[in-house]
Amino acid sequence: MPFLLRVELPDVPGSLGRVASAIGEAGADIEAIEIVEHRPDGTAVDDVLLEMAPGAMPDSIVSACNRLDGVRVVWISRYAAGGNLFLDLEAVEELTAHPAEALDRLVDLLPVTFRADWAARVRRVDAPGGHDSTKILHATGAAPGTVGWFAVDRVSRVEQPDDDVNVLCAVPLAPTGGGRAEQVVVGRRGGPEFLESELARMGHLVALAVSIARPS
């Protein structure tokens, strides 16, 4: 069964090898590794795709990693994308190959590219009483039936009132020809928080999709 592990570790030679050895001894095989972030404090954040051996438990992986000096497991969860890390370059190739559908393709690609559970593109619409409401234009299958509107002018972490399950970020889209405001909302159930490096990557990818779908 595939699992995705996010781990903080010292950004020095040999650290990843120690983590890999601990994971192997705890009963999992590493299928892929992606460096998510290099930090100024000398640590790195990596995403590690694991295949758990029969009978192995995620808790044993977490304990094995956390016993290593300077290593901390941020998050571990089942990975529903079928054991395939989808890198930014592949997402760009998919967007440019289908320019007329770039914004919908973007929504479909964001959860895979950023290890999230769902994404939705929404448009702000007028609601009684002057409150912000939204219309979902396109969403992945796991997205909730209602997605709120967030007052953001750049890619940002956001919070939905009364939602203690989803960790969210929102990215504004350039207004359409009719001046209608749209944004993309991406959610992770239970975390982890979106890192600054992930937000920056997501912002660039969304801007690219908009430029492909709405050339000037």
Side-chain angles (χ1 to χ4, degrees):
M1 179 179 297
F3 277 77
L4 189 68
L5 171 78
R6 175 163 290 185
V7 61
E8 293 177 354
L9 68 163
D11 194 5
V12 297
S15 290
L16 189 55
R18 293 190 298 122
V19 171
S21 296
I23 289 172
E25 292 173 1
D29 293 325
I30 295 177
E31 300 291 333
I33 296 173
E34 183 179 354
I35 298 171
V36 178
E37 188 172 68
H38 292 283
R39 292 177 171 171
D41 63 359
T43 61
V45 178
D46 291 354
D47 280 350
V48 183
L49 182 63
L50 308 173
E51 185 65 36
M52 303 286 289
M57 300 296 293
D59 288 350
S60 63
I61 304 295
V62 173
S63 297
C65 292
N66 285 340
R67 281 196 293 266
L68 302 175
D69 289 339
V71 175
R72 183 178 75 90
V73 171
V74 178
W75 179 68
I76 188 170
S77 179
R78 291 183 181 179
Y79 188 55
N84 229 345
L85 290 182
F86 203 102
L87 302 181
D88 293 12
L89 181 58
E90 295 176 86
V92 171
E93 291 174 350
E94 178 75 10
L95 294 174
T96 54
H98 303 88
E101 306 167 3
L103 294 180
D104 287 349
R105 296 269 180 163
L106 169 74
V107 171
D108 294 335
L109 292 169
L110 286 175
V112 183
T113 307
F114 291 95
R115 324 296 185 268
D117 291 290
W118 59 269
R121 177 165 67 100
V122 301
R123 176 178 294 157
R124 186 171 60 184
V125 296
D126 294 332
H131 299 293
D132 286 330
S133 184
T134 61
K135 175 183 179 181
I136 296 178
L137 303 177
H138 186 76
T140 57
T146 302
V147 178
W149 181 263
F150 302 97
V152 296
D153 58 9
R154 60 184 179 85
V155 57
S156 305
R157 301 181 191 91
V158 294
E159 295 183 1
Q160 178 71 48
D162 302 322
D163 183 352
D164 56 1
V165 174
N166 289 290
V167 173
L168 304 173
C169 68
V171 194
L173 301 179
T176 63
R180 293 168 296 185
E182 296 179 8
Q183 61 186 211
V184 173
V185 182
V186 184
R188 286 174 175 156
R189 291 192 175 91
E193 291 281 351
F194 290 94
L195 301 175
E196 289 295 332
S197 59
E198 292 179 302
L199 295 178
R201 287 169 49 213
M202 191 180 299
H204 288 304
L205 196 57
V206 170
L208 175 63
V210 171
S211 68
I212 292 170
R214 303 170 182 169
S216 56

